[in-house]
Amino acid sequence: MKIQVVNRGHQPLPAYATSQSAGMDLRANLSEPVVLRPMERRLIPTGIYIALPEGYEAQVRPRSGLALKRGITVLNAPGTIDADYRGEVGVVLINLSDEDFVVNDGERIAQMVISSYEKADFIEVDSLDETERGAGGYGHTGVN
């Protein structure tokens, strides 16, 4: 699939780290470092703008290493970039640790996964079919 991209920043385009990676790394495009204090959230620019084909979305997800090692994650994970959005791709980061975290220019801050989706039409009915599970949820099937 070919995706049109405008790079108004100074970072390389998003790229897959390996041949079997599902996500492409997104990098911070900053004129100066940004300090995220504990529990602080900020929109971090990437400098890129994309045009996805109809029927596709881009999902912005946390990087597992930042989450595990530093407590930094994407607040609205996964964030969705719709096919008709033409603004800059930004990443809403939050610092869930108890220490300041510095986001540096060029740092890999998130990953972006391109995914197809289906449109649904809701049809209002008076009742739903019965299933073994029924309305049970939130731990209903047990601990194991």
Side-chain angles (χ1 to χ4, degrees), residues 1 26 57 67 76 81-82 88 92 117 130 144:
M1 166 189 317
L26 292 175
E57 66 165 329
N76 60 325
I81 301 169
D82 294 308
E88 182 177 11
V92 182
Y117 62 87
E130 294 294 326
N144 298 335

Side-chain angles (χ1 to χ4, degrees), residues 25-89:
D25 287 329
L26 292 175
R27 295 178 181 273
N29 189 68
L30 302 168
S31 56
E32 59 186 39
V34 171
V35 177
L36 277 176
R37 306 219 184 295
M39 297 307 295
E40 184 178 14
R41 61 190 179 275
R42 296 278 295 270
L43 180 63
I44 306 298
T46 65
I48 64 166
Y49 301 71
I50 60 176
L52 295 168
E54 186 174 341
Y56 288 86
E57 66 165 329
Q59 300 174 0
V60 178
R61 301 178 181 187
R63 292 191 65 242
S64 59
L66 275 181
L68 176 64
K69 296 173 186 173
R70 303 303 302 270
I72 306 301
T73 191
V74 176
L75 186 57
N76 60 325
T80 295
I81 301 169
D82 294 308
D84 59 351
Y85 176 67
R86 294 296 181 269
E88 182 177 11
V89 173

Side-chain angles (χ1 to χ4, degrees), residues 119-141:
K119 288 281 196 169
D121 291 320
F122 285 100
I123 302 167
E124 193 168 351
V125 296
D126 292 326
S127 64
L128 302 175
D129 61 316
E130 294 294 326
T131 66
E132 181 180 340
R133 182 176 183 171
Y138 303 101
H140 171 76
T141 58

